[in-house]
């Protein structure tokens, strides 16, 4: 086979992939996710620059981390001068749920070459997991569906955070203003949405009081990590005895 014929075959193969119905369905289903990412990404980009990061650093974090809640926590800890180890540990704890999400999703994406899994795992978010779990069974090619869904959502997050970061160059927020409430407001909303029982209220209050206590007696930003771990143990204990 000549080089020209091989090039034509490669182009046909690529076009076939791009025209794949499962891939198209994944891209289409990602647009509602992007609409949800847009306001949070803009707020993250503005907050990160306001906390001292450059627009390029802010965008790079979205490119390499792709975890909105962890990124918001990280920039707050960076601004507070937290140790690198504390920032890494907190990011790990916040994203720990992704291990369970990935394990559940892997049951639908079996028998793939090993090198696919790190890439697919990187694209797993709460939103992409929820959408894919409800629609994967109806897809002819589950792998391409999730790639279309996850990668399109990823591009939406990077774009929205970059837009927020670079727009901040033209906006004067003074000493912080309303941006200082972005992170607390987001987590309060997430907390309220997830509480469905009295035991969860107890764990939430316990973790908040613990964080305040450790913040007063321990230097640095380890109060959040310690409170998170101890509150998780309390939650497991209550669940096991209920």
């Amino acid at each position: 086979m000549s080089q020209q014929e091989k090039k034509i075959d490669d182009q046909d193969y690529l076009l076939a992939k791009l025209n794949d119905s499962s891939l198209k369905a994944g891209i289409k289903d990602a647009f509602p996710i992007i609409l949800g990412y847009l306001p949070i990404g803009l707020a993250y980009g503005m907050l990160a620059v306001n906390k001292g990061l450059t627009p390029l650093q802010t965008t790079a974090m979205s490119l390499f981390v792709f975890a909105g809640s962890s990124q918001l926590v990280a920039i707050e800890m960076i601004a507070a001068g937290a140790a690198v180890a504390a920032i890494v540990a907190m990011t790990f704890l916040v994203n720990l749920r992704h291990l369970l999400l990935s394990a559940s999703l892997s049951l639908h994406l079996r028998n793939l070459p090993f090198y696919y899994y790190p890439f697919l795992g990187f694209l797993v978010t709460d939103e992409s997991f929820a959408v894919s779990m409800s629609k994967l069974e109806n897809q002819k090619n589950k792998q391409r569906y999730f790639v279309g869904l996850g990668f399109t959502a990823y591009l939406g997050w990077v774009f929205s955070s970059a837009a927020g970061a670079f727009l901040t160059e033209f906006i004067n927020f003074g000493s912080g203003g309303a941006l200082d409430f972005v992170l607390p407001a987001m987590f309060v909303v997430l907390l309220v949405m997830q509480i469905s029982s009295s035991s969860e209220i107890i764990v939430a209050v316990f973790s908040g009081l613990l964080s305040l206590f450790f913040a007063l007696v321990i230097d640095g930003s380890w109060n959040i990590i310690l409170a998170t771990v101890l509150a998780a143990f309390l939650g497991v204990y209550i669940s096991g005895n209920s």
Side-chain angles (χ1 to χ4, degrees):
M1 179 184 294
S2 67
Q3 288 292 329
Q4 186 175 3
E5 290 174 331
K6 185 177 184 302
K7 185 177 181 180
I8 292 173
D9 287 342
D10 290 342
Q11 290 175 344
D12 290 342
Y13 178 71
L14 179 60
L15 287 172
K17 277 193 169 185
L18 292 175
N19 289 323
D20 183 89
S21 60
S22 296
L23 183 67
K24 286 182 176 180
I27 294 172
K28 180 181 177 181
D29 289 343
F31 281 96
I33 297 177
I34 293 175
L35 291 178
Y37 282 169
L38 187 59
I40 300 175
L42 289 170
Y44 155 73
M46 293 178 179
L47 184 63
V49 173
N50 195 56
K51 292 292 183 179
L53 274 66
T54 67
L56 286 177
Q57 289 171 333
T58 301
T59 306
M61 187 182 287
S62 289
L63 280 168
F64 295 108
V65 179
F66 187 35
S69 56
S70 295
Q71 291 176 228
L72 284 163
V73 170
I75 59 175
E76 288 288 344
M77 296 181 73
I78 291 171
V84 173
I87 296 172
V88 172
M90 193 64 217
T91 301
F92 174 77
L93 287 174
V94 172
N95 284 342
L96 196 58
R97 70 191 185 283
H98 288 183
L99 292 176
L100 298 176
L101 301 183
S102 299
S104 178
L105 191 61
S106 67
L107 299 176
H108 300 271
L109 298 169
R110 295 177 176 176
N111 303 319
L112 296 176
F114 178 77
Y115 55 82
Y116 273 106
Y117 291 108
F119 174 67
L120 295 177
F122 177 74
L123 298 177
V124 174
T125 63
D126 297 327
E127 297 80 11
S128 64
F129 172 79
V131 173
S132 60
M133 289 299 287
S134 66
K135 297 191 176 184
L136 267 178
E137 288 300 325
N138 300 322
Q139 299 303 319
K140 181 179 180 181
N141 191 312
K142 296 178 175 59
Q143 170 199 340
R144 292 182 187 173
Y145 174 82
F146 188 76
V147 168
L149 176 76
F151 192 69
T152 305
Y154 167 70
L155 292 178
W157 171 253
V158 172
F159 171 79
S160 59
S161 58
F166 284 98
L167 281 174
T168 309
E169 294 285 284
F170 307 99
I171 304 173
N172 181 16
F173 289 101
S175 61
L179 285 180
D180 290 332
F181 294 95
V182 170
L183 182 63
M186 187 190 77
F187 279 104
V188 166
V189 171
L190 291 176
L191 176 63
V192 171
M193 290 176 62
Q194 294 184 34
I195 290 179
S196 58
S197 65
S198 59
S199 61
E200 291 174 352
I201 296 176
I202 293 172
V203 173
V205 173
F206 177 73
S207 63
L209 293 175
L210 269 183
S211 181
L212 289 174
F213 171 75
F214 287 133
L216 293 173
V217 300
I218 299 176
D219 292 331
S221 300
W222 291 96
N223 60 301
I224 302 174
I225 299 173
L226 292 173
T228 300
V229 173
L230 292 176
F233 278 113
L234 176 63
V236 171
Y237 175 80
I238 293 175
S239 297
N241 290 275
S242 60

